[in-house]
Amino acid sequence: MSKEIKISDLVEKVQSYYPAANVDLIRKAYEFSAKVHKGQKRLSGEPYLTHPTAVADIIADLKLDVPSIVSGLLHDTVEDTLTTLDELKNIFGREIGSLVDGVTKLSRTNFSSREEKQAENFRKMLLAMGKDVRVILIKLADRVHNMRTLGHMPLEKQILTAQETLDIYAPLSQRLGIAWIKSELEDLALKHLHPEIYYQLKRNVAKKKSDREKYIGEVISVITKKLETEGIEAEVTGRPKHFYSIYQKMESQNLLYDQIYDLVAFRILVDAVRECYEALGIIHSQWRPVPGRFKDYIALPKPNMYQSLHTSVIGPYGERVEIQIRTHEMHRIAEEGIAAHWRYKEGEDFQMSDIQRFAWLRQLLEWQENLQDPQEFLHNLKDDLFSTELYVFTPKGDLLNFPKGSTVIDFAYRIHSEVGHHCSGARINGQLVSLKYILRSGDTVEIITTQQQVPNRDWLKWVKTPRAKSKIRNWLKSQQLERSVALGREILDSDLHRYQLDYGTLRNAGKIEWLVKELGLKDEEALLAALGYGRITTRHVLAKLVPPEKLEAGTKKAEGSLETLFRLVSSQKHGLGIRVKGVDDVLVRFALCCHPLPGERIIGFITRGRGVTVHTVGCPTVLESDPHRKIEVSWEENGQPPRPVKIEVTCVDQPGLLAAISSAITSADANIARAQVRTSSDKALNTFEVMIKNSEHLKKVLENISKVKGVYKAVRARGRTGGKTDREQANRSELQ
């Protein structure tokens, strides 16, 4: 059972840091929460009210304002009771209603997967955080209490929640600079993900408690006396490292617990920045510093505003000692982070001015708006939270931070979207470098732009930051849309002309707007883009505008037109045995880069003006393509005609073996359409073009060939079966 928090204790805690707090509003929220949650219990058997009260108490630990405390008491009322958001706003005001709405999960249930639901809930929370950062602080308090009481949940739920906490909430609290929440969440996640390791660490730490306390006391005494001798008044503390940080070191360095020596961290708090560096000199004169272990986060603060000096020394008895040196104000920000900027100021509204100092938060809110794919959003969020920082300078000397692995393109997009779009190179420390150059800490970067330079799909392989990725994808998407709209207009104009119709006249008469509604599309641009992409044909459009008998007569006269080509090839679609989800009468063809066979998992790709190309799901070409142009396709149940597949057979070079391989192929009920033999030293490489019915048929053919004595390897070859090279054909299949 968790410790029960009384409303009187909560009020007293809030008054301790804000004596003028509106405690009546806090009591009112407590009574309302008690009323609507009445009869509800947690899995622990406790009344549900213990949870919102505990969350409000954690929010008070962060010393947040009264609306935040009240929102903590009410945060589950909309999600878990019959209370509506409007009701909450009427009783407690719009500000508190918005905070509760920000932490309330999405109510809809039609998500395609747990990952999509998770991603969309995070997106909702981040959007709310963009308007008011208190949303994320309330959510973190909620997560802390849920993790403290996670043991009452089913085991599967414990693992999922603990992993989500480790992936998202712990690094998020670190990014927001709230050290104690980050450490507690990590330790609690370890407890449920690896209980045997957690409890072993707990036993080991407890076993050496008396020796450790004696050692800590001795080191503190030495440091304090040395600093006093030099006239520096300081607060010196020491504590064992958190379990998760010990576990990380054991994992990363493959060490046992007894092999880790720096299990204790010491902290020196002084009044002024000057004294931080003086204290560092005293420590280094007392004990030998460990090379490469000094970090100056005062001169180069972390993105979450954390400032401190870090050093490791060889302390008493030859043990490695880690020491952090900072001012009292730096320590307050290190422990409270973004929460340190949310102190209640009577008569003043909350502003985002302080929050703007968190550049990472601004970037996060910006790029998430441009990512539509939920899984991509979640993947990028995790990448961004875990990225290791490097620091580079602008030509004016401004310091910018980036994740490790970032290139000059990432830097260009940080400056401005247009600078990124037209970045053609850079000068690093005065030297010309290419777009692929990976930034290093300390670089001074000057971007070179030309109007002729524009993004291409390769850039997505070179950039690291979500901002750059989203800007490049948006640019590529807009260019594809422009080309598709132009092509769609060209196709439609051509076919309208055959029926003495004019696009401009139809638009003025309101016919185009009517067509858009009839076809269930968003607007005129969507109509033209659908024609250009090949999602719909002009026959769909003309059928709405031209009488059936006139349409049929016009079609017969249009031999050789693009519309006829679409119609003729579309009519062969069923011969290919492919069904396109939600689309009828569209050109379908197989990709020549992967040659999908019946039985294999497939995906469709909408090409510009030429219908749908069918690829295997794992085909590299489609994996790197625009996700917005993918469409679901499936094999029809009717039998499909055999298709040519290229098979490469490596074997010994000896008489009669080619005949044996040919016999093995025909014995699997497959015909050979073409064969080619190349020899080198004592080996032969045979390439056969074989007519294959489906993936099982191919498997049987390969098995038969592999059984032939003298055959080293028989594999399916990727790429075009004869004619142009694989690269030429793969490129062509996606450009068309």
Side-chain angles (χ1 to χ4, degrees), residues 2-185:
S2 60
K3 179 187 174 184
E4 184 178 350
I5 307 297
K6 297 179 180 178
I7 184 61
S8 56
D9 296 333
L10 177 61
V11 167
E12 185 180 340
K13 183 180 285 189
V14 174
Q15 287 180 317
S16 69
Y17 64 85
Y18 180 51
N22 184 354
V23 296
D24 290 339
L25 187 61
I26 296 175
R27 289 194 174 97
K28 181 181 177 181
Y30 177 82
E31 290 166 5
F32 183 88
S33 187
K35 182 179 73 174
V36 298
H37 285 299
K38 187 176 180 179
Q40 293 182 348
K41 291 188 180 294
R42 305 196 85 208
L43 289 179
S44 62
E46 298 171 302
Y48 195 89
L49 184 63
T50 59
H51 172 62
T53 310
V55 170
D57 187 66
I58 295 168
I59 294 169
D61 288 335
L62 291 169
K63 298 183 173 63
L64 296 187
D65 62 314
V66 170
S68 299
I69 304 293
V70 170
S71 299
L73 289 166
L74 302 172
H75 78 277
D76 275 339
T77 55
V78 174
E79 191 174 325
D80 294 332
T81 77
L82 297 176
T83 307
T84 66
L85 195 59
D86 287 338
E87 183 183 356
L88 216 57
K89 288 179 178 178
N90 289 334
I91 298 172
F92 294 98
R94 185 169 297 277
E95 180 185 12
I96 289 168
S98 296
L99 288 172
V100 172
D101 183 34
V103 296
T104 300
K105 291 178 182 175
L106 293 169
S107 57
R108 70 185 180 92
T109 56
N110 58 333
F111 293 104
S112 62
S113 65
R114 189 183 70 83
E115 289 77 12
E116 183 187 358
K117 182 178 181 180
Q118 182 188 37
E120 292 302 340
N121 277 311
F122 278 124
R123 190 194 296 274
K124 178 179 185 286
M125 182 180 70
L126 289 173
L127 285 171
M129 183 174 72
K131 299 173 184 174
D132 195 327
V133 79
R134 289 173 292 178
V135 166
I136 192 61
L137 300 177
I138 296 166
K139 190 66 181 177
L140 284 174
D142 178 42
R143 180 52 60 114
V144 168
H145 187 251
N146 280 333
M147 287 299 293
R148 288 174 181 173
T149 56
L150 191 59
H152 299 288
M153 301 292 288
L155 183 60
E156 183 181 359
K157 180 72 172 175
Q158 289 182 36
I159 293 171
L160 288 172
T161 304
Q163 191 62 56
E164 181 185 64
T165 299
L166 206 55
D167 287 346
I168 303 290
Y169 288 101
L172 189 56
S173 57
Q174 181 180 25
R175 282 296 189 121
L176 296 173
I178 312 172
W180 71 267
I181 287 185
K182 177 241 182 192
S183 298
E184 182 171 350
L185 289 178

Side-chain angles (χ1 to χ4, degrees), residues 497-707:
H497 183 69
R498 290 193 284 110
Y499 295 93
Q500 290 77 49
L501 295 174
D502 177 70
Y503 186 86
T505 305
L506 289 171
R507 179 198 272 167
N508 293 336
K511 285 288 187 181
I512 299 298
E513 186 179 350
W514 173 80
L515 264 174
V516 167
K517 291 178 181 177
E518 278 288 300
L519 295 169
L521 297 169
K522 181 182 176 184
D523 52 28
E524 182 181 341
E525 184 181 63
L527 168 65
L528 296 176
L531 285 165
Y533 272 133
R535 282 186 184 273
I536 61 174
T537 68
T538 50
R539 187 173 181 81
H540 282 87
V541 176
L542 292 170
K544 304 284 184 184
L545 300 171
V546 180
E549 63 280 1
K550 188 176 179 182
L551 179 65
E552 192 62 32
T555 302
K556 288 177 180 177
K557 294 177 185 177
E559 289 297 329
S561 72
L562 181 61
E563 174 62 25
T564 305
L565 175 64
F566 256 81
R567 183 172 58 80
L568 291 175
V569 183
S570 297
S571 68
Q572 298 171 17
K573 177 185 62 163
H574 299 290
L576 296 179
I578 295 294
R579 184 183 297 111
V580 181
K581 184 178 180 181
V583 181
D584 293 317
D585 193 28
V586 63
L587 184 151
V588 176
R589 61 207 174 108
F590 292 111
L592 296 171
C593 49
C594 56
H595 287 290
L597 285 172
E600 294 182 316
R601 293 176 61 212
I602 51 175
I603 189 76
F605 184 78
I606 301 167
T607 56
R608 290 191 289 277
R610 294 181 182 269
V612 174
T613 304
V614 179
H615 294 258
T616 57
V617 167
C619 175
T621 303
V622 82
L623 287 175
E624 295 174 4
S625 63
D626 182 356
H628 300 287
R629 293 171 65 187
K630 293 176 186 175
I631 190 169
E632 188 177 326
V633 295
S634 58
W635 297 103
E636 290 186 337
E637 293 179 5
N638 301 331
Q640 291 84 25
R643 301 195 53 246
V645 173
K646 188 162 66 174
I647 295 173
E648 290 181 348
V649 181
T650 308
C651 62
V652 295
D653 183 15
Q654 66 182 34
L657 195 54
L658 181 59
I661 295 171
S662 300
S663 176
I665 294 172
T666 54
S667 67
D669 194 25
N671 293 325
I672 301 172
R674 188 181 292 113
Q676 182 182 14
V677 179
R678 297 192 302 274
T679 60
S680 61
S681 63
D682 60 340
K683 288 185 181 180
L685 177 63
N686 307 283
T687 303
F688 298 93
E689 185 178 313
V690 183
M691 303 305 293
I692 298 293
K693 298 173 187 175
N694 52 43
S695 57
E696 286 300 314
H697 189 202
L698 174 63
K699 184 179 177 183
K700 177 65 176 173
V701 170
L702 292 174
E703 284 178 355
N704 278 17
I705 298 172
S706 298
K707 291 175 183 176

Side-chain angles (χ1 to χ4, degrees), residues 458-471:
D458 284 340
W459 284 22
L460 291 171
K461 303 173 187 175
W462 304 339
V463 295
K464 186 77 173 177
T465 57
R467 173 189 170 89
K469 288 178 182 177
S470 68
K471 294 291 182 185

Side-chain angles (χ1 to χ4, degrees), residues 285-306:
S285 65
Q286 174 68 24
W287 294 303
R288 182 163 55 87
V290 178
R293 295 288 296 170
F294 171 65
K295 295 281 194 316
D296 187 347
Y297 294 118
I298 293 179
L300 294 173
K302 290 186 178 183
N304 60 14
M305 299 190 309
Y306 175 89

Side-chain angles (χ1 to χ4, degrees), residues 208-450:
K208 297 185 178 182
K209 184 179 179 182
S210 58
D211 291 342
R212 186 176 62 252
E213 288 177 347
K214 181 182 176 183
Y215 183 78
I216 289 173
E218 189 175 331
V219 173
I220 289 175
S221 176
V222 172
I223 293 174
T224 304
K225 286 177 182 176
K226 280 287 182 183
L227 294 175
E228 285 176 353
T229 302
E230 299 296 330
I232 298 176
E233 186 177 334
E235 179 186 333
V236 185
T237 57
R239 58 164 182 78
K241 287 191 173 179
H242 293 282
F243 293 160
Y244 188 74
S245 65
I246 297 172
Y247 164 74
Q248 277 186 308
K249 181 163 281 191
M250 290 169 63
E251 284 290 295
S252 63
Q253 299 181 22
N254 197 25
L255 298 173
L256 298 173
Y257 177 81
D258 291 336
Q259 295 174 299
I260 300 176
Y261 297 104
D262 52 342
L263 292 169
V264 179
F266 292 87
R267 187 174 294 135
I268 301 172
L269 303 182
V270 295
D271 293 327
V273 173
R274 172 182 54 82
E275 292 176 326
C276 292
Y277 291 97
E278 289 176 0
L280 177 70
I282 293 167
I283 295 297
H284 282 182
S285 65
Q286 174 68 24
W287 294 303
R288 182 163 55 87
V290 178
R293 295 288 296 170
F294 171 65
K295 295 281 194 316
D296 187 347
Y297 294 118
I298 293 179
L300 294 173
K302 290 186 178 183
N304 60 14
M305 299 190 309
Y306 175 89
Q307 288 183 289
S308 186
L309 299 177
H310 289 193
T311 188
S312 291
V313 297
I314 305 301
Y317 313 111
E319 290 202 21
R320 183 178 290 195
V321 176
E322 185 180 294
I323 301 173
Q324 300 170 353
I325 308 169
R326 62 181 76 138
T327 66
H328 291 280
E329 176 62 14
M330 289 174 188
H331 180 61
R332 185 176 72 87
I333 293 173
E335 288 299 300
E336 301 173 4
I338 205 168
H341 295 269
W342 287 90
R343 293 293 178 263
Y344 196 92
K345 301 172 184 177
E346 192 170 7
E348 294 182 19
D349 292 331
F350 283 99
Q351 302 294 329
M352 284 297 290
S353 55
D354 281 336
I355 307 312
Q356 294 305 309
R357 296 171 64 186
F358 285 77
W360 167 80
L361 185 54
R362 286 202 315 275
Q363 295 162 32
L364 178 69
L365 294 171
E366 182 180 323
W367 65 255
Q368 69 83 25
E369 292 174 2
N370 299 317
L371 288 176
Q372 300 303 315
D373 183 80
Q375 291 186 338
E376 182 185 2
F377 165 75
L378 199 58
H379 175 75
N380 281 0
L381 177 62
K382 290 177 183 179
D383 273 359
D384 198 61
L385 288 173
F386 279 103
S387 61
T388 308
E389 301 293 325
L390 59 87
Y391 299 86
V392 295
F393 295 93
T394 69
K396 293 182 178 179
D398 295 327
L399 190 67
L400 299 177
N401 65 290
F402 290 87
K404 278 195 174 175
S406 297
T407 63
V408 295
I409 304 176
D410 291 291
F411 184 98
Y413 276 105
R414 174 73 68 85
I415 302 303
H416 195 276
S417 297
E418 286 302 307
V419 175
H421 290 338
H422 301 294
C423 174
S424 58
R427 287 189 181 89
I428 302 292
N429 309 321
Q431 299 294 314
L432 283 171
V433 298
S434 71
L435 295 176
K436 293 183 182 180
Y437 177 86
I438 297 175
L439 300 174
R440 300 173 185 171
S441 278
D443 281 345
T444 297
V445 186
E446 179 187 355
I447 298 297
I448 301 169
T449 61
T450 57

